[in-house]
Amino acid sequence: SGTMGYALALAARRRGAAVTLVSGPTALPAPPGVQFVPVVTALEMRDAVLARLEKATVVIKAAAVADYRPAVRQAAKIKKSAGPLNLALERNPDILAEIARRKGSRIVVGFAMESEDLLENARAKLMGKGADFIVANDLTQTGAGFGTDTNIVRILDWEGGDERLPLLGKLEVAGVILDRVKQIRGTGRIRDGR
């Protein structure tokens, strides 16, 4: 739905940040005062993010980008036939990992939306992707995940920290995430790029 990413953009703008929001399709209006970059596909998102990476000091990747896309794109509707339909998929680029490889002195934040083994999967993503911290949420919990104005998250950092937040509004969650970014900037404890 984009609600968490938009809440982050709005909260950062309210704090005085120059914000660029690269967004996939959503019904949400662009937050006021941000540079809004609409995209449709994962490849477009990757290109838009990387084109703006040089000027960024903080990158927060809240979008739930599909891991796979159809290997062949059809120009017209695929008509129903008597036999089965086989759909070949290919991997989408891993935008978070690519950003982390080019991290430099940027703070990079990722999200891990999971339906099982939240802590293990989120920690593996954190360590494998090279982010400074990961915001993890369990999609099976009531009030967390897509299509709600609330979220229940855990913030895991590369030094082993694990902060559990209660059910909060997504704008409140955005404030906690931005407070963590501010803390990292203040201490200079930024994870080395990969």
Side-chain angles (χ1 to χ4, degrees):
S1 67
T3 311
M4 190 70 243
Y6 279 55
L8 282 158
L10 179 60
R13 183 67 194 114
R14 286 180 177 171
R15 291 181 180 209
V19 177
T20 299
L21 175 62
V22 178
S23 174
T26 179
L28 299 171
V34 307
Q35 180 187 5
F36 182 71
V37 182
V39 297
V40 175
T41 69
L43 294 175
E44 289 174 359
M45 180 169 281
R46 175 196 174 270
D47 292 346
V49 169
L50 293 180
R52 291 156 179 82
L53 187 60
E54 190 63 35
K55 294 182 180 178
T57 57
V58 176
V59 178
I60 303 176
K61 288 293 298 142
V65 178
D67 291 330
Y68 294 91
R69 67 182 181 276
V72 177
R73 187 175 178 135
Q74 300 295 324
K77 176 183 174 186
I78 300 172
K79 301 300 274 182
K80 187 179 353 180
S81 64
L85 174 67
N86 294 315
L87 181 63
L89 300 176
E90 61 187 8
R91 287 184 59 102
N92 270 323
D94 188 330
I95 303 169
L96 178 60
E98 196 162 348
I99 290 167
R101 282 193 298 273
R102 302 175 185 196
K103 186 176 185 306
S105 61
R106 290 176 195 86
I107 296 171
V108 176
V109 180
F111 273 69
M113 292 173 253
E114 303 292 343
S115 59
E116 60 186 6
D117 301 323
L118 176 70
L119 185 59
E120 295 82 10
N121 289 332
R123 186 147 314 277
K125 184 173 187 176
L126 169 67
M127 300 317 288
K129 307 284 184 177
D132 290 284
F133 64 93
I134 291 280
V135 181
N137 64 323
D138 182 343
L139 297 177
T140 66
Q141 288 187 296
T142 302
F146 300 113
T148 68
D149 291 327
T150 59
N151 214 342
I152 304 168
V153 302
R154 291 173 81 161
I155 299 176
L156 308 175
D157 67 43
W158 65 278
E159 295 179 305
D162 180 358
E163 178 182 1
R164 297 174 191 224
L165 300 180
L167 178 70
L168 297 171
K170 288 187 175 173
L171 200 54
E172 292 174 284
V173 173
V176 173
I177 292 167
L178 294 174
D179 287 345
R180 177 66 67 99
V181 168
K182 183 178 177 183
Q183 177 187 14
I184 292 171
R185 288 183 89 170
T187 63
R189 296 186 63 81
I190 298 172
R191 186 175 183 182
D192 288 337
R194 296 170 38 149

